[in-house]
Amino acid sequence: MAGGGGGQGLVLALGGGGAKGLAHIGVLAELHAQGIPVRAVAGTSVGAEIGAFFATGMPIEALQEVATGFDWIKTLRLFFPDLPTGGIASGASIMDFLTPHLGERRIEDLEIGFVAIATDLETGEQVVLDRGSLSEAVRASLSVPGLLAPFRIGARLLVDGGVVNPVPVDVAREHFGGPVLGVAVHAGARGLSKREMQPRPSGEWRGRVRQLLQQPWLGPADGLRIWLNEQLKEPPPEDVEAWGTRRVLDQVIGIGQAQITQLRAQRYPPDLMLTPDVHDIGMVEFYRAVEAIDAGRRAVQDRLDAIRKLSSK
């Protein structure tokens, strides 16, 4: 494995959290702006994706451009229901998105150290992907259960690394040493609260849904069309909780990840942990990249003195 084995710079442990994880771009951008080097990244799920882009040498400006280029239609196309292969989406569109950016690169050839975390669906074991195809490692780590189909690498059928290690601080230190800066963006990373669980205002959503229903490519997806029409109904009063199936699942996953992260942090503490304020960004709201990136920047700015001290070790 090339890169990251020693020398000056931080080692980042970037966690999973869907669109919340776009805050990782803001963290990287602000570290770069402040002249604080990063020599290696261990990533789970979206943290693996963003870490992989960074590890290829993609300029921060280009990474931000890729993220902010996603509108809500492009986002939905990534997860458009296709063949029933263990998830709502097969993940083919994800690979179509990753391949132009990551190409045929192999992890062991990267100049910046990189590993991705996945979970073996059959055994429940953590799988650290530290060699082989970069795009395949990212695709495996991104396999959110129920949303994206599991991905096979060799003999292993892999799902999202967040199932076992939402913020891979321990893997980062084992592979690259320290100092380790963790970035937690999963639901509940800042503590579960009533504020986080409140339904979002629906006016903006309903306008987008009406536009979406006019798209010709939506025609074959009758089930999705029915679901979208449901979103046009009047929202419940503000004092009534709206717990749909997807929201319940997201909340349960968030609770589990918060507990796992807390337990792992007690045993394998990072030198510093950042928790960008992205609590109200939904898991697939990738069109809110600007908000997430800004939150990542603020998280670095709020702890800049501590990060500078850490990077000088």
Side-chain angles (χ1 to χ4, degrees):
M1 176 173 47
Q8 188 179 15
L10 296 175
V11 176
L12 300 188
L14 302 182
K20 298 175 189 289
L22 296 177
H24 296 319
I25 299 174
V27 169
L28 288 165
E30 191 62 26
L31 291 175
H32 177 74
Q34 298 293 338
I36 299 172
V38 173
R39 62 182 173 86
V41 178
T44 288
S45 198
V46 68
E49 179 182 15
I50 292 169
F53 288 163
F54 175 75
T56 66
M58 177 184 285
I60 296 297
E61 295 78 9
L63 183 50
Q64 292 181 100
E65 186 176 341
V66 169
T68 56
F70 268 83
D71 58 20
W72 56 279
I73 292 179
K74 289 181 181 178
T75 297
L76 187 59
R77 281 177 171 168
L78 283 180
F79 305 101
F80 192 74
D82 45 19
L83 298 177
T85 53
I88 292 174
S90 69
S93 295
I94 298 291
M95 286 299 288
D96 288 344
F97 167 71
L98 293 174
T99 301
H101 299 293
L102 303 182
E104 300 299 321
R105 291 180 176 87
R106 297 183 65 80
I107 296 172
E108 57 267 33
D109 296 333
L110 298 172
E111 291 300 319
I112 295 173
F114 174 80
V115 295
I117 313 304
T119 304
D120 187 311
L121 181 61
E122 296 172 325
T123 68
E125 295 175 306
Q126 172 177 274
V127 178
V128 179
L129 299 165
D130 59 3
R131 60 190 64 253
S133 168
L134 181 61
S135 59
E136 289 187 357
V138 171
R139 168 63 184 85
S141 188
L142 283 170
S143 303
V144 179
L147 181 60
L148 291 179
F151 189 79
R152 186 172 293 280
I153 295 181
R156 291 184 181 270
L157 189 61
L158 302 175
V159 295
D160 195 302
V163 173
V164 292
N165 200 346
V167 187
V169 170
D170 53 333
V171 177
R173 197 179 302 280
E174 288 169 6
H175 276 68
F176 307 114
V180 176
L181 175 65
V183 186
V185 295
H186 56 271
R190 297 169 64 89
L192 291 169
S193 66
K194 190 74 170 178
R195 181 184 174 204
E196 181 164 4
M197 294 189 291
Q198 286 288 345
R200 286 175 45 77
S202 64
E204 178 184 5
W205 276 97
R206 294 167 70 202
R208 288 191 172 120
V209 168
R210 290 191 182 95
Q211 292 179 345
L212 179 58
L213 286 168
Q214 298 173 10
Q215 301 298 313
W217 53 266
L218 191 65
D222 291 336
L224 184 58
R225 182 178 290 278
I226 292 171
W227 181 84
L228 288 170
N229 272 303
E230 287 293 313
Q231 310 314 302
L232 294 177
K233 294 181 179 179
E234 288 296 323
E238 291 185 2
D239 60 344
V240 176
E241 293 286 354
W243 285 99
T245 302
R246 183 71 252 178
R247 186 163 168 248
V248 169
L249 291 174
D250 287 347
Q251 184 71 2
V252 168
I253 291 172
I255 291 170
Q257 290 185 332
Q259 293 292 321
I260 293 170
T261 301
Q262 183 178 8
L263 291 172
R264 280 187 172 271
Q266 290 173 0
R267 186 172 181 182
Y268 309 105
D271 294 287
L272 187 66
M273 182 75 83
L274 302 182
T275 56
D277 188 2
V278 288
H279 72 276
D280 70 335
I281 295 178
M283 187 172 187
V284 295
E285 293 183 332
F286 289 95
Y287 51 84
R288 299 178 66 187
V290 172
E291 297 171 62
I293 291 170
D294 287 347
R297 282 186 173 275
R298 289 193 301 272
V300 172
Q301 293 164 359
D302 290 346
R303 303 297 303 276
L304 188 56
D305 289 344
I307 293 172
R308 286 194 185 281
K309 186 179 296 184
L310 191 64
S311 67
S312 66
K313 289 184 177 181

